[in-house]
Structures are given as C-alpha cells and as structure tokens.
Amino acid sequence: MIQAFLARQLARPTGLFGRWIMAPLLNRGNRAMNRLTLEQLALTPDDRVLEIGFGGGDLLHQILALPGSFAAGLDLSAEMVARAQRRFRSAVRARRLHLQQGTIEALPFPAATFTHVCSVNTLCFWPDVARALAECRRVLQSDGALMLCFTARADLERWPGHRHGFRLYDIAELEEHLRAAGFRNIEVTQGANPQQGRFYCVRSQPLLA
C-alpha cells in the first residue's frame, strides 16, 4: 500500500504530502539528472524552453538563473503548478516564465513555439508515448531539440513501487519510439546518482518536413 501511494505521488503529487514532502524529494532525487539535462541543453539567451513535468521546480530554477532565459513549465499536478507560481512569482510577473497545468498528450501551445523541450524522469508515466512525442515535435521549432532524461530500466526495477503504473524503457526501445515519431540525430549521455542508479539523457531533433 505504501509503495502504491508513493508511486501515485511520484506520477502526480497531490495534497499537503505532494507540496511539502514530494516536491523537495523530487528536487533532491533528480538533481543529478537536472544538472546533466541543463548541461546537454546548452542554452543561449535566445532559446525558449518547455519543461514537461517540472515537479519541485529545480530545473526551472536553474534555467531561469541563465541571463535572458525564457521558460515554460507544464505539470499534471495542480499542487506543483501552484507551488511554482509562488516560488517563481517574480519571473512569472516579468513574463520570463509561463506555468500551466496540463498533459503531454495535448500540449497547450502553438506549433513551433520552443527551441527546446525537456522532461526529467517523467517518461515512465506517459500513457501514450507515441502521441506524447508527436506533441513534443509539434511544439518544437524545426532546428530545435528534445531532451528526455530517465532512470535505467534495470535500476528502476530494483524498487518494488515500479509495478504500480510505471512503464520502463531501455535505450533501444526509446530510440525506436523517437524515430517513429520523426526524430533524428539521437545522442545518448549516461550519468548516475547514489539514490536512483544509472540514468540516460537522450537528445534528438525533429526531422525537417
């Protein structure tokens, strides 16, 4: 029962537990992933970045620390959106950050809005990966890049909670999905942290129409 509860909270933090316990845990647990994701994004002041499933907001914080940056954040959790609205109120007022609740299968943004789309440790919760990747491609500019960072299948399998709604991936399977969705130039970078084990950051670009 505890494992199932934690799995639900990881997928969509809710209530006081989500706000006060899960959000800080997500920030700590994903810190190494967020750091590598930011490094691989290699952002410039002209970039416009969408983070899908920003959770506690650690990566958004790092993006907003870059001079001239603009970011948008989308999350399933109303608690995480409200928390980020408070935490980043000055960036929201300055129109450097746009926050919205929603799903990756129906991104609430016009086509070709972003130079980069990224998501850290949310891939395992996507109910329809083909539709999700199609939406990522739609909102990316033609010379943009998608960055997906996720825990390696073998390491995530060591936690019993993965049986409660997680979909696990290896690199070959994700690459197959990316190519089917019209992405190319797939590059894989590997990292590790003591809590979660190995993880991968996978960068790809949309095929030109």
Side-chain angles (χ1 to χ4, degrees), residues 53-75:
F54 56 81
D58 177 61
L59 181 54
L60 283 180
H61 173 72
Q62 296 182 54
I63 292 171
L64 292 170
L66 301 174
S69 61
F70 172 84
L74 184 87
D75 204 282

Side-chain angles (χ1 to χ4, degrees), residues 97-166:
L97 175 64
H98 174 79
L99 296 167
Q100 193 160 338
Q101 183 182 10
T103 68
I104 190 171
E105 292 83 16
L107 295 176
F109 304 103
T113 299
F114 301 101
T115 60
H116 295 77
V117 173
C118 61
S119 191
V120 175
N121 243 0
T122 71
L123 176 64
C124 56
F125 302 121
W126 296 0
D128 187 338
V129 66
R131 186 173 176 185
L133 290 174
E135 278 291 272
C136 290
R137 185 184 177 196
R138 181 183 66 80
V139 301
L140 271 171
Q141 296 178 11
S142 59
D143 58 348
L146 171 66
M147 180 71 67
L148 300 177
C149 198
F150 64 101
T151 303
R153 177 196 292 269
D155 292 86
L156 192 51
E157 283 177 336
R158 296 193 181 103
W159 180 54
H162 81 271
R163 300 185 182 94
H164 302 282
F166 285 61

Side-chain angles (χ1 to χ4, degrees), residues 41-63:
L41 286 171
L43 299 176
T44 69
D46 295 328
D47 284 322
R48 297 173 61 86
V49 187
L50 168 63
E51 183 183 5
I52 298 168
F54 56 81
D58 177 61
L59 181 54
L60 283 180
H61 173 72
Q62 296 182 54
I63 292 171

Side-chain angles (χ1 to χ4, degrees), residues 1-8 164:
M1 184 175 293
I2 293 175
Q3 301 286 0
F5 172 76
L6 288 175
R8 289 194 301 270
H164 302 282

